[in-house]
Every structure is written in C-alpha cells, then in structure tokens.
Amino acid sequence: VQLQAYGGGLVQAGGFLRLSCAASGRPFTSYTMGWFRQAPGKERAFVAAISWSGTNTYYQDSVKGRFTCSRDNAKNTVYLQMNSLKPEDTAVYYCAAAKSPPYGGRWYVGPNDYWGKGTQVTVSS
C-alpha cells in the first residue's frame, strides 16, 4: 500500500498550487483522506481532510476559505487546492488515509492507517 503525494513547489505569496495524492495497493473504501503539514522546527499539524463520500470536509482554521480538499474515488486520489498562499504555508505536506475522521480540529492517524511521503511547498514573500 502506497500513498504518493506530488505537486509541491516554489510559489510567490498570493499564488496557488494543487497537491495530489494517489493511493495504490488497495481501495480506500470508507477511509477519510487528507493532508498534514510540517514546517521547520514545528510538529506535524492537520491541514484538511475529506470523508469517503466527499460529503464532509474538515479544515484547520488558518486555511479555511483558501484551501479546498477534494477526492476522486475512481482514481483513489485526494487533492488539495491551495489558493492565496502565504509564507507561513511553507512546509512539507503529507497525505494520509485513516478510518477515523477528524474531530475537534485534530485528526488521529493510527498505526493501522496510512501515510504518504511528503512534498515540499515553499511560499516566498
């Protein structure tokens, strides 16, 4: 089972990027999928997630209105559209798939869940 994230890069403040995360090895039926990020010197933090059906989306307060999380279950892929990027969005972004959805602004990804390798997003001022 593998989650492969891509789409990171260098962008100026105010710009946009679209991250993708393709899952392979098994269908992620009933899994919530989404994104975390880790900035230098900081802990990994929840960013956004989406339920299997796409009915429910979850966002960290600092990205609400700027980021949109979506998924295509036929392609086993989750996306993160990031608009109006700020220098403080600079981080390594990781995708994840977990049985449990986020709760109270936090998302628990357990030992039986899945992580992808990160992709670097750098926003210059």
Side-chain angles (χ1 to χ4, degrees):
V1 176
Q2 184 177 14
L3 300 180
Q4 180 64 52
Y6 52 96
L10 172 63
V11 64
Q12 289 189 327
F16 63 91
L17 283 174
R18 187 192 195 207
L19 304 184
S20 300
C21 175
S24 60
R26 60 156 293 163
F28 281 84
T29 305
S30 78
Y31 275 73
T32 296
M33 296 185 73
W35 301 87
F36 286 76
R37 67 186 180 187
Q38 187 166 17
K42 295 188 176 180
E43 294 185 352
R44 191 173 298 189
F46 167 67
V47 176
I50 185 167
S51 61
W52 159 253
S53 65
T55 301
N56 298 311
T57 53
Y58 312 85
Y59 297 96
Q60 181 194 96
D61 286 346
S62 65
V63 308
K64 285 179 181 177
R66 300 189 298 123
F67 290 11
T68 301
C69 187
S70 61
R71 66 191 292 169
D72 184 338
N73 289 335
K75 296 181 179 179
N76 240 8
T77 299
V78 62
Y79 305 96
L80 187 67
Q81 178 68 42
M82 305 185 294
N83 298 329
S84 303
L85 282 162
K86 304 176 180 180
E88 51 264 43
D89 295 317
T90 295
V92 177
Y93 284 70
Y94 299 87
C95 60
K99 274 290 190 179
S100 299
Y103 180 79
R106 296 178 179 270
W107 188 25
Y108 176 70
V109 180
N112 295 320
D113 296 321
Y114 303 94
W115 288 98
K117 293 184 179 180
T119 184
Q120 176 70 46
V121 171
T122 303
V123 184
S124 63
S125 57

